[in-house]
Amino acid sequence: MRIGELASRAGVSVRSVRYYEEQGLLTSTRSPSGQRHYTEGEVERVAFIQRLYAAGLSSRTITELLPCVDAPSEENSDSALERMALERERLSTHIADLVRTRDTLDGLMATARAHREQLGKAAVG
């Protein structure tokens, strides 16, 4: 199938398909005129790549996980699980940082509200 059909069937843009190929996440064959052609299996692969992106993984990390799909083995599976655990820890750390940042902002907002309340009282009195 050609790139437009793959993109349509997978629910992504043609640009995304090209990007996945540039990143080494997807491969195609080329016709004599240079058009990309994909196999039926690439539809599911694109959907899988989309799920990995939705999980917050970078294209570099996804590249590290694909051997588990392309060459299933216990070693590749263990490697993929280890890599995903590292990504989960990275996300957890980022979430904790965001919570601290939000809490700091909440404190600043409380201070600003108290100050605003004092301004309102001073104007009345």
Side-chain angles (χ1 to χ4, degrees), residues 8-9 14 19 26-29 43 49 54 56 64 67 82 86 93 119:
S8 176
R9 289 183 55 199
V14 168
Y19 177 76
L26 193 62
T27 58
S28 65
T29 57
V43 175
I49 291 168
E64 292 176 29
E82 184 177 316
L86 289 172
T93 298
L119 290 174

Side-chain angles (χ1 to χ4, degrees), residues 14 23 29 51 64 75 78 82 94 97 109 112:
V14 168
Q23 297 302 306
T29 57
R51 289 192 304 272
E64 292 176 29
E75 182 180 337
D78 290 346
E82 184 177 316
H94 186 62
D97 290 344
M109 290 171 68

Side-chain angles (χ1 to χ4, degrees), residues 20-111:
Y20 298 160
E21 195 165 343
E22 288 170 9
Q23 297 302 306
L25 306 175
L26 193 62
T27 58
S28 65
T29 57
R30 297 286 182 135
S31 70
S33 63
Q35 292 181 328
R36 293 174 170 95
H37 289 276
Y38 300 91
T39 65
E40 188 67 29
E42 301 303 322
V43 175
E44 179 54 36
R45 186 177 185 95
V46 169
F48 180 63
I49 291 168
Q50 284 287 292
R51 289 192 304 272
L52 294 170
Y53 274 120
L57 303 177
S58 68
S59 57
R60 181 173 40 191
T61 300
I62 293 170
T63 300
E64 292 176 29
L65 297 177
L66 287 177
C68 185
V69 174
D70 297 335
S73 70
E74 286 184 18
E75 182 180 337
N76 285 342
S77 182
D78 290 346
S79 179
L81 285 166
E82 184 177 316
R83 185 65 175 105
M84 286 188 282
L86 289 172
E87 284 301 308
R88 187 180 190 292
E89 181 57 35
R90 180 189 64 79
L91 287 171
S92 294
T93 298
H94 186 62
I95 290 167
D97 290 344
L98 288 171
V99 168
R100 279 192 294 279
T101 300
R102 183 197 60 204
D103 291 348
T104 300
L105 181 58
D106 286 347
L108 291 169
M109 290 171 68
T111 300

